Amino acid sequence: MTALLRYQGALLLRSQRWLAPLIAYAALVAVGIRPGDPVADSLGLVAAGLVPAAAWLVRICVSVEPDAARACTAAAAGPVRVHAAALLTASTGALLAGAAAAAVALLTGDRSGTDPGRAALAGALAVAACALTGAAVGALCSRPLVRRRGHGILAATLGSLLALILAVSPVRGAVSALVTAGRSGPVPLPLTALAGALLLAAGAGAAACLVAARRS
């Protein structure tokens, strides 16, 4: 699996297609975070913006390899492992981007009345929950589940929006907890949101990998 992850990472980096989602995410962070804002509010923005970025990265990773090369890789390592490696590569990229943005929020935000260590932990949990939820959206809205590019982009956009606004979404729970803490009280740890995101990502990834195995 390590070799597959290195292979998928090299494909992604060489393609340079990762630049678009990460630049868009960086622009959102740069515009949305202002020095002196409550650190919990800034962390909530950082986490929420990661949902569409993660979904976009997943769509890139599962389609960056040419069909002929992917068929050879799947024949050598198995379609389930190949697809899982693509999903894990995208998720890792999203988590790294979120971690960098969260560090900026922690350094520039107003930490008065807030335990810095607890705020950092809450931000890390929220970033992980949002990255995993975005990855789940991307997995369900990309090949092999959604073949057509236009349909996939539309589905990923709508899925990201629903993840942000639905009350049952792990994203909504994690971000709401941070934003509420930015106005009053200690920063809560969104453990329930992270658990829900883990289940959602595992289910979406398993479904995508099984379909990839059946269609290989």
Side-chain angles (χ1 to χ4, degrees):
M1 196 63 174
T2 302
L4 282 174
L5 290 172
R6 287 201 301 265
Y7 173 66
Q8 292 291 340
L11 280 176
L12 178 63
L13 290 175
R14 284 202 301 265
S15 73
Q16 298 186 358
R17 292 170 61 185
W18 54 271
L19 286 171
L22 292 191
I23 288 174
Y25 179 60
L28 172 67
V29 171
V31 171
I33 293 180
R34 293 174 297 179
D37 282 349
V39 67
D41 281 357
S42 297
L43 288 170
L45 175 66
V46 164
L50 204 55
V51 176
W56 195 348
L57 275 175
V58 167
R59 283 191 49 79
I60 291 171
C61 279
V62 300
S63 61
V64 68
E65 190 177 13
D67 290 339
R70 188 176 182 87
C72 293
T73 308
V80 171
R81 297 181 67 203
V82 171
H83 200 77
L87 296 177
L88 288 172
T89 300
S91 300
T92 301
L95 286 170
L96 291 175
V104 172
L106 288 167
L107 291 173
T108 61
D110 179 13
R111 297 185 297 275
S112 59
T114 302
D115 179 6
R118 189 175 179 85
L121 179 57
L125 294 175
V127 162
C130 291
L132 289 171
T133 303
V137 171
L140 293 175
C141 301
S142 305
R143 75 176 193 180
L145 294 173
V146 180
R147 291 280 189 172
R148 292 182 178 272
R149 178 183 175 88
H151 293 170
I153 292 174
L154 178 60
T157 302
L158 292 176
S160 298
L161 180 61
L162 290 174
L164 290 168
I165 64 175
L166 287 179
V168 296
S169 168
V171 174
R172 179 74 178 272
V175 174
S176 296
L178 287 172
V179 172
T180 301
R183 293 170 172 78
S184 63
V187 181
L189 300 180
L191 294 172
T192 302
L194 178 58
L198 282 169
L199 290 174
L200 184 62
C209 289
L210 288 175
V211 173
R214 288 180 179 178
R215 293 184 177 179
S216 61

